[in-house]
Amino acid sequence: MFLWLPFGFLGIISWSVWLTRRFLTALYKPVRNHHREPASVVAPAYREDPDVLETAVRSWLAGGAAEVVIVLPEDEPYNVARAHAAFDHLRRVRLVTTGDPAKRNSLEIGITAAAHPIVVLTDSDTIWEPDLLRNVLMPFADPAVGGVGTRQRVIGVKGSLWRRAADWMLDAKYLVYTPAMARKGAVSCLSGRTVAYRREVVAEVLPDLVNETFLGRRCVSGDDGRLTWLVLNKGYKTVYQSNAVAWTMMPANARGFFMQRVRWSRNTYRCYLRATFRGWLFRQPMITRVSVLQGMLAPFSLTVGFAFVGFAAARGDLLSMGLWACWITCGRGIRAIDHLRRNPRNVVLLPFMTVNVLFVLTAIKYYTLLTMNRQAWITRSEDRGVAEGQAAATLARPLSSSMAPAVAEAGEGVD
């Protein structure tokens, strides 16, 4: 009995934090007002499926973007030619090419070229709901707000187990974690899939974004976390609009799914360790501090639980092992209650997600902690036509019928 006390103590802390976060989330409401101002969309497009890019651009135009700046690598002649054919007749779309396709460089080119006071940075495989831009602009009525994040969902979840897993995990983030931090104006990472910033704010910190190094090596990915903390460190708020919904492509296979998690985990460690050791984190609200520290320390606390189960196995204590297995599975279901309320059939995925999150992703966390300074995009590379597992052909149905209303209205942005 006493052997389990440390594990129980960690559980009390973890669940207390979760309940606090749930309480704050229950009080969260998206900002609603009549604030409007013109916005430029900036989208680096590296090794992107042309069909996905075309659909995405038309959704941005349909949503009311004043201009769209697409930054393409010069070494993709087919994609550049296809983009010119698709967009040259649209006066709100500008195509820019670069010899250095690194995402941070492409962002700098696009932000510098943008003409409007708000820049919306978006991934080239992300499609907007028609009211996304209207909703994401509303928090900028407060001059203290520097960045606004969006709610993100996954295209084509019915055709892939791995996309369903990604959708589950995005819901965990955007239905519980992010709203709690948004109430205090300090979301720790505004995802780059679609995020809006004041152009004057990001223009000031572009050199720190583009030239970031970590332990002597220039950073490649992780631009969204870095930009979020640069804005927070300037004293601005970073908030979230749950009613600004973007749909994104996720890997359809296990290789792409885990490669993506490796990249994200490395980015998270670099970003949060820097924020911690430079003291930036401790100038933020308590819920943001706790969320960041909990995210970094989660693998170690979970390992304590695994160790005590190992001790139980060594003693032949099958009852304790069985109770632990039931509890962690039920606990995972409780933490995913918002997702399961929206997708009740996904309860059958509970054992899979428990193993995936608690065991596989914990192992990935340890691996990425030891290799966090390996700088690579991983899922998008020079020898691959498009991102791993994210081509339009991986969808069970055509893109135009694989998701919610955004695509149905995406063709309405033609000038």
Side-chain angles (χ1 to χ4, degrees):
M1 173 66 77
F2 292 105
L3 188 65
W4 290 87
L5 286 179
F7 180 57
F9 179 68
L10 288 174
I12 290 171
I13 295 175
S14 176
W15 281 99
S16 297
V17 172
W18 184 80
L19 288 170
T20 301
R21 191 178 285 119
R22 285 286 307 175
F23 172 75
L24 292 174
T25 296
L27 300 177
Y28 163 83
K29 291 182 181 179
V31 175
R32 298 184 187 276
N33 55 40
H34 298 290
H35 182 75
R36 301 286 185 274
E37 56 186 305
S40 301
V41 176
V42 173
Y46 179 67
R47 301 293 189 262
E48 189 56 82
D49 185 303
D51 291 328
V52 175
L53 177 61
E54 287 182 33
T55 304
V57 171
R58 293 181 183 278
S59 77
W60 308 337
L61 295 173
E67 69 169 344
V68 173
V69 181
I70 305 172
V71 185
L72 293 151
E74 293 174 353
D75 68 349
E76 296 182 28
Y78 171 77
N79 289 343
V80 172
R82 173 105 178 232
H84 278 293
F87 307 126
D88 275 355
H89 65 290
L90 303 176
R91 62 176 177 80
R92 285 185 285 160
V93 179
R94 280 193 286 160
L95 302 178
V96 182
T97 57
T98 175
D100 179 4
K103 187 176 182 184
R104 296 182 188 219
N105 177 67
S106 297
L107 286 172
E108 181 182 35
I109 292 170
I111 292 168
T112 302
H116 298 291
I118 301 297
V119 289
V120 184
L121 311 181
T122 189
D123 283 354
S124 52
D125 59 0
T126 298
I127 299 166
W128 295 359
E129 288 282 358
D131 60 354
L132 179 146
L133 185 59
R134 182 171 69 249
N135 291 329
V136 86
L137 289 172
M138 293 179 183
F140 288 110
D142 179 356
V145 170
V148 182
T150 58
R151 166 86 167 90
Q152 291 150 25
R153 300 185 63 183
V154 180
I155 300 171
V157 293
K158 293 183 179 179
S160 165
L161 171 65
W162 298 103
R163 285 184 173 138
R164 291 173 70 184
D167 188 54
W168 179 304
M169 297 176 75
L170 281 184
D171 274 357
K173 177 179 180 179
Y174 290 111
L175 298 181
V176 180
Y177 279 71
T178 302
M181 290 184 284
R183 283 203 73 255
K184 300 297 183 178
V187 177
S188 61
C189 181
L190 298 176
S191 171
R193 294 185 198 95
T194 297
V195 56
Y197 287 105
R198 295 188 188 277
R199 184 182 179 280
E200 62 179 3
V201 176
V202 293
E204 289 181 23
V205 299
L206 276 178
D208 294 317
L209 173 69
V210 177
N211 301 316
E212 181 191 11
T213 60
F214 189 85
L215 298 179
R217 300 191 66 182
R218 190 168 183 175
C219 295
V220 176
S221 60
D223 50 276
D224 48 4
R226 172 66 167 168
L227 193 51
T228 301
W229 279 95
L230 289 171
V231 171
L232 282 169
N233 197 45
K234 284 283 185 180
Y236 287 91
K237 295 179 182 179
T238 57
V239 299
Y240 162 69
Q241 282 289 83
S242 61
N243 55 359
V245 180
W247 294 79
T248 188
M249 291 286 284
M250 287 285 185
N253 54 40
R255 173 182 165 83
F257 179 88
F258 289 118
M259 287 170 64
Q260 190 179 64
R261 304 292 144 174
V262 167
R263 173 166 58 87
W264 288 352
S265 184
R266 285 175 178 157
N267 294 341
T268 296
Y269 275 124
R270 289 196 300 267
C271 179
Y272 290 167
L273 284 173
R274 187 189 302 275
T276 301
F277 285 109
R278 290 194 175 179
W280 299 352
L281 175 63
F282 302 103
R283 294 198 290 270
Q284 303 306 321
M286 183 59 70
I287 187 61
T288 301
R289 299 184 213 175
V290 170
S291 296
V292 166
L293 293 174
Q294 186 181 41
M296 289 195 293
L297 297 175
F300 305 104
S301 62
L302 288 170
T303 301
V304 173
F306 300 154
F308 281 99
V309 172
F311 293 147
R315 299 194 315 272
D317 188 351
L318 299 181
L319 177 61
S320 294
M321 293 173 61
L323 290 173
W324 177 81
C326 290
W327 170 241
I328 62 169
T329 303
C330 292
R332 187 56 42 189
I334 294 169
R335 290 173 186 258
I337 191 65
D338 299 279
H339 173 79
L340 294 174
R341 187 181 293 121
R342 184 168 65 85
N343 301 281
R345 293 182 180 180
N346 279 358
V347 70
V348 299
L349 294 180
L350 188 52
F352 169 77
M353 291 303 300
T354 301
V355 172
N356 194 12
V357 172
L358 296 186
F359 294 91
V360 181
L361 295 185
T362 296
I364 285 177
K365 286 278 189 181
Y366 277 112
Y367 169 70
T368 55
L369 178 62
L370 297 174
T371 63
M372 64 177 151
N373 211 26
R374 288 187 186 176
Q375 299 291 340
W377 193 251
I378 304 180
T379 51
R380 295 178 189 260
S381 61
E382 293 183 4
D383 60 351
R384 189 177 292 123
V386 298
E388 175 73 33
Q390 295 183 58
T394 63
L395 295 170
R397 294 181 293 168
L399 185 60
S400 59
S401 60
S402 293
M403 47 168 295
V407 174
E409 302 191 25
E412 297 178 7
V414 180
D415 293 296

